[in-house]
Amino acid sequence: METLNILSKSSKPEDKQTEKKNSIPKFASFRPDDEPCHGRADNREERKHKTTEYEAPLYRNSRRRRHQSRNDGETSRGRGTGRPDSLDLSKADAQRSQTAGAMYVADKYGDPKILTYGSIDRYLVSNYFRFGGGSIMGLPQGQRIDRSVSNESSLVVCLDQSIQSNWYAKDTLRTPLSPRLKSQELEVQPSSTKDASFDIIANFVPLKTTSPKEGKRTGSGLERPGLPLEDHSGHYMSVDGKGKASERLSDSDLRYWRERLPSEDGRLQSHFLDRSLNGPRQELSRQVDGDPWDINACLGLISSYDAAPDQVTITSAERHGNASVKFSIYEKALTHVGDSMARERLFLGLMQEASMIWDMGKLSNKWRDTLKANPGFLRLWAQYLDFQQTASLGLNYEGVAKVFLESLEILQHAIGQNTADGSEHSRLYDIYVYIILRMTLMMREAGFAEHAVATWQALLEFEFFKPDRLYTNDPKASLQSQHTVISVFEEFWDSEVPRIGEEGSKGWAYFDANDGEPPAPKRDIASQDESDPETFAAWIHSERLRASFSREPARTIDDVEGIDPYRVILFSDILPVLLTLPTPPGREALLNAFLTFCHLPPYRLGVARGSPSLWWLDGFLRDHLIYQDLERGNGPFDLSMWNYRLDLDTLFAPSNNWFTPFASSQFPHEKECTEPVKPAWTLLSLKSLTAVNVDNDDFLLYCLAFELTFSPSTVRKTARSLLKKRPSSLTLYNAYALLEYRLDNATKGGGVITTALNMSKQLNETAQLESIVLWRTQIWELLEMGKTTEASQCLLSYTDEHLLSGCLDVLPSERSDVQGVLTLRVEKALSATRDYLLSHSLLKLATTAAECLVLLMYFQDPSTLAVAATVFHSNLNLFRTAVSTDDSSQEWLHQSFARLIYHHATHTNIVKPAEIRSLLAKSVATFPQNTIFLSLYAWNEIRFSIDDRVRSIVRDIVLGSGLESSAGKSLIAHFFAIHTELCRDTAFGSNANATRASFERAVESQAGAHCAGLWKTYFLFEHSRGGMQKAKSVFYRGVRACPWVKEMHMLAFEFLGDADGGMNDAELRGVYELLLGKGLRVYVSLGKRSARSENGQRHAWKEVRGQKCL
């Protein structure tokens, strides 16, 4: 094998010529061999050869190997025997040497190092230098290429005075990615389609259009250079400040790259954004370092990472990086902050950021560790349950139910180990009840209604009907050992005697004293009316029928159709939820949670907005819309999602004349076939609970109002039985009078009030204070009957000694001369009563006295609300000053005045809509979640065909009031916005797109993202429009957002199965398989009713995972 001698400095010219021939052909090698060479060219070629002879490819590797010593290299060159790894001739080198004299060389092997390094040797590529020192033809001479930041793909142009500083900048290696502030890349300015308009009638298209941003013509008629009228120097991306005249481009078709809008390119927007926020962020960071206990400074520093100007799109990598930074700030703050409320806020933010940077497994472990160490934070528990129900696409009912049981175990352990004060125990009990409510609602929505109902039966029996012998007089331990109590309760449960809510139920205590017998066996009615078992329509009918029989748990002796292990609830199924709530607040929370489970609002009238009221605003708990159809009532009382404070006006509201929580249009108890809780079961449960809560006036009024709505034939008997137990209660007498008025017996109702007023003279001073409620009831009933004069005379009799003989009759004509004196006397008496009640913190009675004062001023001039409004605002200011920590009294005042406004608008011939609008607007601004004010405001505007104000108040006040941050996850604003769009006439701008936009805004919000009732309403809206593809899209999105709700899946079989453009049998079969895969309850097996289709199942899973419906 022929070897190649290494050239040295003393090589002969012949050797140099040979080496030249053996080198890789270059461009010069393609010249003819006989081309004449001049002396100067020969000398230049010779000098070039001397400088590049060691750059031959054969020796390139040996030169780049710096770990080889110089002596080894010299030895190799001297011997002429190359090293085995670099100097041995390959087949390619041999071929080159053999074809050295040819004009062209065919290289069949190439460079073998390409396979090793993946690319050609970049040192073999010649360097090309641009001519002109960085200048670009067409640009001003003062602008040149900045080579320090330019690369192969882009050129950066900078000003001439900064070239030298940028070229020799010493911080280039330290900050290679930071862009030069003086570097300005140029590009052609795109023309805006909005501005570049031209005449479509003309037969030509202009090459240049007139833009508002271009300069105007001067007086000489010549166009000035195109300077933009809109100065972007104040834009967040500008870091140079106001641009100078020297920086203006002479060519109006060009612009600096930094002048791009954020929506056009976001490569440097984060850099400029960080620079613009550096000052405030550094200041906040110094505050946090100086005072790590300052929670506001810490939250301000965290929020600075969320700040972004309009039109700026933050990438996912930037969001991940910001989340990591904020997570570390939260962790640092938690080591210093000790306040419980502040720590709850920090933990909420910490876990929110953790969800963006951790996977599901690590996040779940972090959640459990956090809750074990901090079990007393309700909002933290709520966020954890939201995460467990919605975060995983592979949701399974058994897995989620296990999570709830584990949460209850953590709380039971915390309650047993807690030695803190009573407030800490109350918080733990409230959280325990909240988790039980969430768990039972999830069970019912997944199809396991029997288990949910049995859980509440066990809790109510265990807490309110405990035998007296299980209590002890030991003040340190209010109950005997938990084991003994549970063993006695197990005996009661296994006996299968009637439980709460069932006919013949007498309670656990009665059974313990007298034993009892189980009821007669029940038998489910077999479904014999199935017409075609081979269709999905027949299957959905059978499924609905079986579900209607399974709303209550069965007993072992019952004749149940089929073999269904979920129908009978054993004691082991309800054992994990049993816990004694020894404090009255714990019992009250349990009652309110039970009412929420039954789709009823919390009963407590006189408390501030606490946990039970917030439950009623949670999208996970307001699930009653799942069982309702899409309704579009135009009346002010037809809003499906309502929220206001309960009082006597709403509990005992006149039929279709005021807001009530028990109206059939709002509350679906009349729909026996679809409502998951039977109204008869709810009514029996409430009547049983009144027997053990007979001293709770608010709960008694609540139960009477509910029975008046759903069983008016028995409510009189119930009211009389309660009056026998509490014969001196003026509150119960007032409720009995209202019952008679609502049952169209005004004469008897007035007689009850007269009797109660006479009896109040014999009561003590504290009990006599309740008589103000009787006066108010009588006045309003006379107003509702259209007897304004009689109502005024009744109020003037408030201080009359001859009250009993003249309060309900027309006063003699001679008393009209002294009406002014009576008015002053009554005003003084009512003011004294109001102040006395305020001083004793009896807020509800105080608001009643203030309302009577407003009515007194209204009776002076019933044609206007001006005088009454003045008195109303003065009383409002008084309550705001006297009770600054509780806004319940102020909201009651607003609601009572809103009723007066509605009465004035419906009973007065001449109405001033502007006056009504201004008064209601103030109430809406103060309480933007109260649907009484919202509904009346929209009703007033619809009556006078001015709907734009409704949209404005929804946009600016209702949706713009920050409801989700101030009051938790509230759905009220979004449902009201949807309701107003559905009720808006097409003549005033209503269309499907506007309504659809309201739905999208609602389902994308934190409050409505996982509200099954909202998703079903959205689906029914799209289905009613006839757009099957849009309805299918909403269906799959709703199933993905609420994977545990069986009713959402059933929409496909009810509405999409037989519709044109709906689902075929394969897709419906896929939805059915989806139900089974999640572990949701299916009563009737589909079997062979439809051909099994794996493609349909796969299609359903793809849609649910969001691959087509994002």
Side-chain angles (χ1 to χ4, degrees), residues 723 727 730 733-734 736-737 747-763 774 778 804 807-808:
L723 283 172
L730 296 181
Y733 273 103
N734 183 69
Y736 184 42
T747 303
K748 191 171 183 179
V752 171
I753 291 179
T754 302
T755 303
L757 288 174
N758 287 331
M759 185 188 65
S760 65
K761 299 294 183 179
Q762 304 173 2
L763 302 177
L774 297 169
Q778 185 61 50
L804 300 179
C807 67
L808 300 179

Side-chain angles (χ1 to χ4, degrees), residues 759-776:
M759 185 188 65
S760 65
K761 299 294 183 179
Q762 304 173 2
L763 302 177
N764 56 40
E765 184 179 1
T766 303
Q768 291 181 13
L769 296 175
E770 298 180 7
S771 63
I772 188 66
V773 180
L774 297 169
W775 285 98
R776 178 191 177 276

Side-chain angles (χ1 to χ4, degrees), residues 38-92:
H38 300 284
R40 185 176 181 180
D42 291 341
N43 295 336
R44 183 171 62 250
E45 184 68 17
E46 184 177 356
R47 288 193 301 268
K48 180 178 180 182
H49 181 71
K50 288 181 179 180
T51 58
T52 61
E53 60 183 357
Y54 288 101
E55 299 294 328
L58 189 60
Y59 304 101
R60 186 80 64 187
N61 294 335
S62 62
R63 181 180 178 181
R64 283 159 51 183
R65 295 193 178 190
R66 298 183 178 181
H67 66 277
Q68 296 289 348
S69 63
R70 183 181 301 272
N71 296 333
D72 293 340
E74 293 176 354
T75 304
S76 300
R77 287 192 297 270
R79 288 195 306 266
T81 59
R83 291 188 299 270
D85 59 341
S86 61
L87 295 181
D88 291 340
L89 280 176
S90 62
K91 294 181 180 181

Side-chain angles (χ1 to χ4, degrees), residues 802-816:
H802 304 285
L803 170 66
L804 300 179
S805 60
C807 67
L808 300 179
D809 299 328
V810 178
L811 294 177
S813 58
E814 59 269 13
R815 298 190 60 181
S816 61

Side-chain angles (χ1 to χ4, degrees), residues 154-449:
S154 63
L155 295 178
V156 179
V157 178
C158 61
L159 299 179
D160 190 13
Q161 58 266 25
S162 63
I163 291 179
Q164 185 175 2
S165 61
N166 286 338
W167 189 273
Y168 297 100
K170 299 301 182 181
D171 62 341
T172 303
L173 297 178
R174 292 195 301 267
T175 57
L177 300 180
S178 60
R180 299 296 189 274
L181 300 183
K182 293 296 183 179
S183 302
Q184 305 180 48
E185 184 178 354
L186 295 179
E187 68 175 4
V188 178
Q189 176 149 343
S191 60
S192 176
T193 56
K194 183 185 297 184
D195 299 331
S197 58
F198 56 87
D199 190 2
I200 60 176
I201 303 178
N203 56 359
F204 67 93
V205 178
L207 298 178
K208 185 178 182 65
T209 59
T210 303
S211 174
K213 296 183 179 181
E214 295 180 355
K216 297 182 179 180
R217 292 182 177 271
T218 59
S220 59
L222 298 177
E223 204 172 22
R224 296 178 57 189
L227 297 178
L229 296 178
E230 181 179 334
D231 189 6
H232 292 282
S233 60
H235 196 266
Y236 83 96
M237 296 180 66
S238 175
V239 295
D240 295 326
K242 187 175 182 181
K244 300 179 181 179
S246 61
E247 300 178 8
R248 300 292 186 181
L249 293 175
S250 58
D251 192 348
S252 61
D253 292 332
L254 296 177
R255 67 176 180 182
Y256 293 117
W257 178 76
R258 65 172 185 169
E259 292 180 353
R260 286 186 175 188
L261 294 176
S263 58
E264 296 176 1
D265 198 332
R267 283 181 289 173
L268 286 183
Q269 63 186 16
S270 300
H271 166 75
F272 291 116
L273 178 59
D274 290 341
R275 290 181 60 89
S276 64
L277 296 175
N278 268 344
R281 188 176 295 167
Q282 291 176 359
E283 179 64 26
L284 289 170
S285 181
R286 284 193 294 267
Q287 292 182 14
V288 173
D289 293 339
D291 186 7
W293 296 273
D294 189 355
I295 182 64
N296 294 326
C298 177
L299 294 177
L301 178 61
I302 293 172
S303 62
S304 67
Y305 287 91
D306 296 328
D310 296 336
Q311 300 180 346
V312 173
T313 302
I314 305 299
T315 63
S316 59
E318 291 169 340
R319 283 194 294 268
H320 186 276
N322 288 340
S324 300
V325 174
K326 291 188 288 185
F327 182 85
S328 62
I329 298 175
Y330 277 120
E331 282 190 321
K332 182 179 179 180
L334 284 169
T335 59
H336 297 90
V337 177
D339 181 66
S340 59
M341 295 184 62
R343 289 183 63 84
E344 184 178 18
R345 294 177 61 186
L346 292 176
F347 272 118
L348 288 172
L350 178 75
M351 300 310 301
Q352 183 68 27
E353 303 305 328
S355 63
M356 302 179 64
I357 60 178
W358 288 349
D359 55 20
M360 291 291 297
K362 186 176 181 180
L363 186 60
S364 299
N365 294 333
K366 179 64 176 179
W367 266 116
R368 284 191 287 268
D369 296 340
T370 301
L371 291 172
K372 287 180 180 178
N374 305 273
F377 297 147
L378 175 60
R379 290 190 296 169
L380 195 63
W381 279 102
Q383 186 171 329
Y384 170 66
L385 297 180
D386 296 349
F387 159 73
Q388 290 292 346
Q389 281 190 241
T390 62
S392 177
L393 287 175
L395 177 135
N396 184 271
Y397 169 78
E398 296 293 339
V400 178
K402 183 179 179 181
V403 168
F404 279 102
L405 294 178
E406 291 176 352
S407 302
L408 292 177
E409 290 179 1
I410 294 174
L411 280 173
Q412 289 175 353
H413 178 75
I415 292 174
Q417 299 295 326
N418 187 275
T419 58
D421 55 359
S423 60
E424 180 66 22
H425 271 92
S426 297
R427 285 197 298 269
L428 293 175
Y429 287 136
D430 289 343
I431 296 172
Y432 190 87
V433 172
Y434 174 79
I435 294 178
I436 289 177
L437 176 60
R438 287 286 299 267
M439 181 182 68
T440 52
L441 287 175
M442 188 274 298
M443 290 177 177
R444 186 175 66 187
E445 291 165 0
F448 300 90

